[in-house]
Amino acid sequence: MMVFPKGVAKVLTIFRTVQVKLIITEASRAALIDQYSQRLRLQRKEWEQWQFQSKKLLTEAKKKSADTYALAQEKIAQEERRRKEKIDHLTYTLQQVENLPEGSEIDYQTVQSPVTIQEGDVWDEIMSGTEIMIKDGLVHEIRLQTKNGNKEKEE
């Protein structure tokens, strides 16, 4: 344990998670639609490749033993479910983006931000809900959560 000498300020810099949100505009909607459409095309292409590979794997497993074949079937079914869920999720997300009204805010990503703490700071205030709002690729607003739970602009 580190002990601070008397008279030395007890200050520490830590990292907290900050939510980044997008404010939907026509331009950001078009970019998101393009991004999700590309991901969806890629997932569908990978699905087709997987279908071909899985048939090949099953043929090879069948030659080895019934147990190997059964295990291969199970693993392939799991992988197919996982891949199908990805495609379904991307399809759903794409539909949601297409229907979002302008001005809507959506979660985009999270980032880590350094924050300095010292003895006596209120932990929940330090760690609570800072948000960065992005509009058309620019930082539009930084919001800090206040004691009463409301969001306010950072000055």
Side-chain angles (χ1 to χ4, degrees), residues 2 11 14 25 29 35 41 46-47 51 63-64 66 75-76 90 93 125 142 147 154-155:
M2 184 174 158
V11 175
I14 61 170
T25 63
R29 181 193 334 275
Q35 180 183 18
R41 278 191 299 275
E46 288 177 4
W47 170 264
Q51 295 290 77
K63 291 176 186 176
K64 293 183 180 179
K75 294 289 184 187
I76 287 169
L90 282 170
T93 304
E125 286 182 15
I142 298 173
K147 291 177 190 176
E154 186 175 75
E155 298 299 325

Side-chain angles (χ1 to χ4, degrees), residues 25-64:
T25 63
E26 282 304 315
S28 64
R29 181 193 334 275
L32 285 171
I33 288 171
D34 184 53
Q35 180 183 18
Y36 285 117
S37 295
Q38 285 179 11
R39 284 188 196 169
L40 191 54
R41 278 191 299 275
L42 179 62
Q43 286 297 319
R44 285 182 174 151
K45 185 177 180 180
E46 288 177 4
W47 170 264
E48 290 171 9
Q49 290 171 345
W50 170 249
Q51 295 290 77
F52 177 76
Q53 288 174 338
S54 66
K55 287 176 187 173
K56 194 174 173 182
L57 289 170
L58 282 175
T59 302
E60 290 173 17
K62 199 172 196 176
K63 291 176 186 176
K64 293 183 180 179

Side-chain angles (χ1 to χ4, degrees), residues 113-134:
S113 171
V115 62
T116 302
I117 60 171
Q118 61 187 3
E119 288 181 353
D121 285 345
V122 178
W123 181 257
D124 289 341
E125 286 182 15
I126 290 168
M127 298 307 287
S128 68
T130 300
E131 294 176 338
I132 299 170
M133 307 305 294
I134 305 294

Side-chain angles (χ1 to χ4, degrees), residues 13 49 80 100 131:
T13 299
Q49 290 171 345
E80 285 182 355
L100 283 172
E131 294 176 338

